[in-house]
Amino acid sequence: MSREQEKTYAITRVLNHNVVLVEEPGTKLEIVLLGKGIGFGAKPGNTIPAHDPRVEKRFRLENESHQKQYQTILSQVDPAVVGIAEEIIALIASEITPQLNEHVHVALPDHIQFAIYRLRNGMEIVNPFLFEIQTLYTKEYTLAKRAADMIKKAFDLDIPDSEIGFLALHIHSAISYLPVKKAVQFTNVISELVSMIEQRTDRTIERSTVDYVRLITHLRFAVERIRQQKTIHNPLLDRVKTTIPEAYELASELAAYISNRLEVTVPEDEVGYMALHVYRLLQQQP
């Protein structure tokens, strides 16, 4: 029998039937173990063999700051909420990528606890960017619906679409290493850009059309490139300026807004591409 197989973990806390916190022998580091039924009937002080067949996933926080924040979460958040959050994080890891931002172990249970509080107290959860989130982060939103079902089953609560949208942003934050606050900001920026286009052209862009989806998808990737300062060459830039000057002028206004909100420089090549998308959209609008 290998040393790993001989190792046993001491349970320090049972979060739910499927999630327990254990202490690793020797290092005394706290590890989260996930597996169906692993916490059922378990109590602090019990031990679990490292090779226990019920253990499906295990992880520990490597960042010292996150370790401290996680201890705070454990002392302030309902253990059942932390447990369901860990199950959701395991789902994200298996369905999208195991390379997740550690901070999700702190941010997600904190968010779910507050969402449950609001729902139980009849407080409406308003999400002004729901359509944009559903469109821009389809993979995350699909997974968020599964997460919402898990929360509903665990806490006997109906989870509205608005909250599913916020869960999707947390999932996006975890896989993109972008803070949730920034993800909300970028989604807001894209929504505001569309409003600017509507105001300047005196047109309403139907949110259910392919043209709208194409536009905000382009804006999303443009904003991400600009944020990351990735360069993109636009061989049509000079032609865009001369052949569709009105669209280029509007794109320049959009670029100025992005620059101001995100405190970044928008390359002229990006302005040219935005002008092309604006022009195409306006040509197809009634």
Side-chain angles (χ1 to χ4, degrees), residues 195-206:
S195 295
M196 284 179 65
I197 294 171
E198 290 180 321
Q199 290 169 9
R200 300 295 189 276
T201 60
D202 197 26
R203 300 171 188 237
T204 299
I205 304 170
E206 284 298 325

Side-chain angles (χ1 to χ4, degrees), residues 120-165:
R120 281 179 172 165
N121 287 277
M123 299 166 66
E124 185 181 6
I125 295 177
V126 179
N127 189 336
F129 316 119
L130 181 59
F131 190 87
E132 285 79 9
I133 293 168
Q134 291 171 328
T135 306
L136 295 173
Y137 309 121
T138 51
K139 179 172 55 178
E140 293 92 331
Y141 190 81
T142 299
L143 204 58
K145 287 195 287 187
R146 292 173 63 184
D149 285 340
M150 293 164 68
I151 296 169
K152 177 181 179 179
K153 185 177 179 181
F155 300 98
D156 193 27
L157 277 173
D158 286 326
I159 310 299
D161 289 346
S162 54
E163 171 55 23
I164 295 174

Side-chain angles (χ1 to χ4, degrees), residues 67-215:
Q67 290 172 11
K68 291 177 181 177
Q69 290 173 347
Y70 195 66
Q71 290 303 318
T72 301
I73 287 293
L74 289 173
S75 67
Q76 296 179 351
V77 173
D78 180 352
V81 170
V82 180
I84 204 70
E86 292 299 345
E87 291 189 61
I88 292 169
I89 293 166
L91 178 67
I92 302 167
S94 63
E95 294 291 322
I96 301 182
T97 174
Q99 304 302 319
L100 300 177
N101 186 343
E102 277 191 354
H103 188 65
V104 69
H105 294 279
V106 175
L108 187 59
D110 186 54
H111 171 79
I112 293 173
Q113 172 108 331
F114 188 45
I116 289 173
Y117 171 81
R118 286 184 292 177
L119 292 170
R120 281 179 172 165
N121 287 277
M123 299 166 66
E124 185 181 6
I125 295 177
V126 179
N127 189 336
F129 316 119
L130 181 59
F131 190 87
E132 285 79 9
I133 293 168
Q134 291 171 328
T135 306
L136 295 173
Y137 309 121
T138 51
K139 179 172 55 178
E140 293 92 331
Y141 190 81
T142 299
L143 204 58
K145 287 195 287 187
R146 292 173 63 184
D149 285 340
M150 293 164 68
I151 296 169
K152 177 181 179 179
K153 185 177 179 181
F155 300 98
D156 193 27
L157 277 173
D158 286 326
I159 310 299
D161 289 346
S162 54
E163 171 55 23
I164 295 174
F166 286 122
L167 289 171
L169 284 179
H170 276 272
I171 293 172
H172 179 68
S173 173
I175 65 178
S176 67
Y177 285 69
L178 182 71
V180 173
K181 185 178 179 181
K182 285 290 185 183
V184 171
Q185 181 190 29
F186 292 152
T187 307
N188 183 27
V189 165
I190 291 166
S191 178
E192 289 295 324
L193 291 173
V194 174
S195 295
M196 284 179 65
I197 294 171
E198 290 180 321
Q199 290 169 9
R200 300 295 189 276
T201 60
D202 197 26
R203 300 171 188 237
T204 299
I205 304 170
E206 284 298 325
R207 300 306 194 256
S208 58
T209 62
V210 173
D211 298 324
Y212 176 74
V213 171
R214 187 183 293 123
L215 174 67

Side-chain angles (χ1 to χ4, degrees), residues 8-12 14 21-23 39-49:
T8 59
Y9 297 117
I11 296 176
T12 58
V14 178
L21 288 175
V22 299
E23 193 175 79
F40 184 73
K43 293 182 173 61
N46 292 167
T47 59
I48 297 178

